[in-house]
Structures are given as C-alpha cells and as structure tokens.
Amino acid sequence: MYEEYTGVSYEEKKVISYTQRGNYTYSAPVTKPNPLYPEGTRLEMGKPAYFFTVSPTMDVSFIYRLDATSSTDLNVEAKTMIVASDKEGYGEEQNGEGQKIFWQKSYQVGDSKSAHLKNADVFTSNFTLDIPKIQEQTKKIEDQLNYTSNPTIEIVTVINYEGKINGKDVTGTQNFAIPANISSTYYQMPEELGFVKDTYKNIRVQKDPSPSTIKFPIFLFLLNTVLIGALIPIRKMKKIDPEYIKKLENESKNSSFKEFISKGKIPENRSSLLQVEISSLEDLVNAASDMNERVIHDAGSGEYFIIHNEALYIFWDKTSKENIR
C-alpha cells in the first residue's frame, strides 16, 4: 500500500526550449551645416530628437542571437522593412488589439543578409535609414489617397530561420519591430530597443510524493505491525514464495505506466524487423511518447513492445513466470 500511495507519478511541465534575442543600436551622422554640431560629428543613441537639417540619415545595426538549451545549427536570413500604416482612420478604438488598419504599405531597406549560426553565435545586420525619404514616401501615399492622417512608421527586421534546434528540425519566422516617430522637421527613436522571445516545450517530470500522501500508508503500516504482533503468538505465519513477492513488487512498480499500455500480441514476423532491446519499461514508455506510439503488452510472453519505422523496440519482463521467449 505504501508503494501504491508513493509510487512514481509524472506531470507536464513547461520549460524554455530556446530564446531569440534581438537588439537595435543606431547613430546619426551630422552631414549638414547647422548651429549645433560640427559637420562629421556622430550623434549617438538617446537624444530627444534628431533634426532633418542636421542629421537626415541614421545608421542602424540589428544584432540577433539564438540560445538553445543544447544545440543550434541554423541558416538565418534577415531583411529590414519600413512599414507605414494608418490605424486611426477606421474603428472606434485608437489603441489595443481591437484597432483596425485603414491602410498599410511596406518596402524593404537595403539587401537581405544571411548567415549560418551555431548556439549563441551573433548575427549583425547593418542598414541606413533615409528619414526624409521615408517621410516623402508616406506623404505620397496620403496624397494619392487624398487622405491626411497621422500614420505610424515602424522599422521591422524579419528573421527567417531553418535548420536544427536541440537536434530537431525547425522552420520559423520572428519579427522585431520598433516605432519611429517622424514629424515635419525632426524624428525620434524609442528607448526600448531590445527584445527577448522565449519558445517553450512541454516535458514529463517525476512528481515527488507529498508528506500528506505518505502519512496514510505509514499509519496503516504501524496498525498492521500491531495486528501482526498480536497474531504471532496465536498462529504461525505461512512462508510466502519469494518469487510471488517479487512478482507483486514488479506489478506495483509498473502500475504507474498502465495508462500508456495496451494489450496485444507480438507480431509473428518479428524476425523480419530490426530489433532494439530497451533496458526498462520506463525507457520504453518514454521512447513511445517521443515517437507518438503506444506501448503494447503481450501477456503470454511477458514482452512490452512498440513498432516504429520497421523497427521493433522491446522490453522483456524477465520476472514473469509465463514468459516464453
């Protein structure tokens, strides 16, 4: 009863499989005569505003890294887009997910860049933004639509990746977007320029029995000890077959896997299959979970097995008296 109450049990737990990190840095060169800065000066990040008449262009770097729990082997492509849109012309909500896009236009900045990344490698994509040109293209859309609004301008770096993460094939896309506030005479950049995108996976972990779970079987054990002590003088206890005890212990140990096992019969053509012996029933159940298969128990032979891709994965329960090999 103690083993039944405190036997191995499992629960689903969400853990991080890999993390993508993206970060923007920028600076604006002073290219026009002005009363504030000498020409050739480079204005670094964090200024409240950058004026068209002082530094109309901005040099930007996007730094990307993918950290996996075990390994990374990816081909990565990065392209940067300018996305102009009006989110105020339609719908009552002006903020939030319920906001509707009235119009939107995207175009690419520079050429796409690619790299091959291992775990924790850094990939950098550099590009230059011509702010007056972005403003001009946005204004042209409004003029052609005969519609004046306060459009939103976003700098979006699109990362396409393909390869292996933690030994598994993956293909995915991740966007890293920052807004750019462009007025008639100056532009501003946001303070938040770093992003962390976690990807999770579900795993089965063993649960430890709680103290409250253990109390009841211990109480029964103590009560049983008292009863046995009272019966010993009256009746000589019959010796139990050790093989029978071993069989009961084995059935108790395997009871936690019942929900993953079905009854069946091992196929007659087993000799034509590649046979892989598994050292324990727990390992066989875990393998079946990874292969999206179900464990079959042949009660006649005492064998547990799964068949996957013309291979027979088998655990032979040597404790079963009915085992016939």
Side-chain angles (χ1 to χ4, degrees), residues 66-204:
L66 191 146
D67 298 325
T69 53
S70 60
S71 63
T72 302
D73 188 3
L74 292 177
N75 292 315
V76 175
E77 180 190 55
K79 62 180 179 181
T80 299
M81 311 293 295
I82 300 298
V83 181
S85 61
D86 174 34
K87 300 179 181 180
E88 299 181 2
Y90 186 73
E92 296 180 358
E93 296 186 32
Q94 299 301 310
N95 295 293
E97 296 181 356
Q99 191 175 26
K100 295 182 179 180
I101 297 174
F102 196 43
W103 62 263
Q104 181 171 288
K105 180 69 175 179
S106 304
Y107 59 92
Q108 187 169 336
V109 178
D111 298 326
S112 299
K113 298 176 178 62
S114 59
H116 185 80
L117 299 185
K118 296 291 186 179
N119 202 23
D121 283 350
V122 174
F123 173 41
T124 302
S125 175
N126 300 314
F127 53 92
T128 298
L129 298 178
D130 188 335
I131 306 299
K133 183 178 179 181
I134 295 173
Q135 184 188 52
E136 178 185 349
Q137 290 177 323
T138 304
K139 182 68 167 58
K140 186 183 295 184
I141 294 172
E142 292 182 317
D143 291 342
Q144 291 176 343
L145 295 174
N146 193 22
Y147 174 78
T148 302
S149 63
N150 185 23
T152 299
I153 307 295
E154 288 185 308
I155 303 164
V156 182
T157 298
V158 181
I159 297 291
N160 295 307
Y161 56 94
E162 182 178 7
K164 290 184 179 293
I165 299 178
N166 299 326
K168 294 186 177 181
D169 293 330
V170 295
T171 301
T173 298
Q174 185 65 60
N175 295 344
F176 298 89
I178 56 173
N181 181 22
I182 304 177
S183 72
S184 58
T185 58
Y186 66 88
Y187 58 97
Q188 299 171 304
M189 298 297 288
E191 295 182 2
E192 182 57 52
L193 299 173
F195 304 87
V196 177
K197 309 285 187 180
D198 292 325
T199 299
Y200 295 87
K201 65 178 180 179
N202 291 324
I203 62 171
R204 292 175 67 243

Side-chain angles (χ1 to χ4, degrees), residues 171-317:
T171 301
T173 298
Q174 185 65 60
N175 295 344
F176 298 89
I178 56 173
N181 181 22
I182 304 177
S183 72
S184 58
T185 58
Y186 66 88
Y187 58 97
Q188 299 171 304
M189 298 297 288
E191 295 182 2
E192 182 57 52
L193 299 173
F195 304 87
V196 177
K197 309 285 187 180
D198 292 325
T199 299
Y200 295 87
K201 65 178 180 179
N202 291 324
I203 62 171
R204 292 175 67 243
V205 295
Q206 183 175 327
K207 292 175 61 177
D208 294 326
S210 65
S212 60
T213 304
I214 299 174
K215 286 180 182 178
F216 181 66
I218 289 179
F219 169 75
L220 292 178
F221 169 75
L222 295 175
L223 180 61
N224 190 50
T225 302
V226 173
L227 293 174
I228 291 174
L231 291 174
I232 285 176
I234 302 172
R235 181 176 180 179
K236 183 179 178 181
M237 296 187 68
K238 183 179 178 181
K239 186 177 180 180
I240 301 175
D241 185 355
E243 288 296 324
Y244 180 71
I245 295 176
K246 193 172 183 180
K247 182 179 179 182
L248 290 177
E249 290 176 346
N250 189 61
E251 289 178 353
S252 174
K253 182 179 67 175
N254 296 337
S255 63
S256 60
F257 304 118
K258 285 183 179 179
E259 60 180 299
F260 305 103
I261 300 173
S262 299
K263 294 181 179 179
K265 189 171 180 61
I266 199 160
E268 295 181 358
N269 66 335
R270 63 184 294 175
S271 59
S272 66
L273 301 174
L274 174 66
Q275 183 166 318
V276 180
E277 290 196 8
I278 305 299
S279 60
S280 69
L281 180 57
E282 180 179 356
D283 289 339
L284 184 64
V285 170
N286 288 335
S289 177
D290 292 339
M291 300 176 189
N292 199 24
E293 300 285 357
R294 189 165 179 85
V295 175
I296 306 299
H297 178 216
D298 188 330
S301 65
E303 292 167 308
Y304 297 82
F305 66 93
I306 57 176
I307 298 176
H308 183 78
N309 289 343
E310 302 298 325
L312 176 67
Y313 298 82
I314 189 166
F315 165 67
W316 182 38
D317 187 358

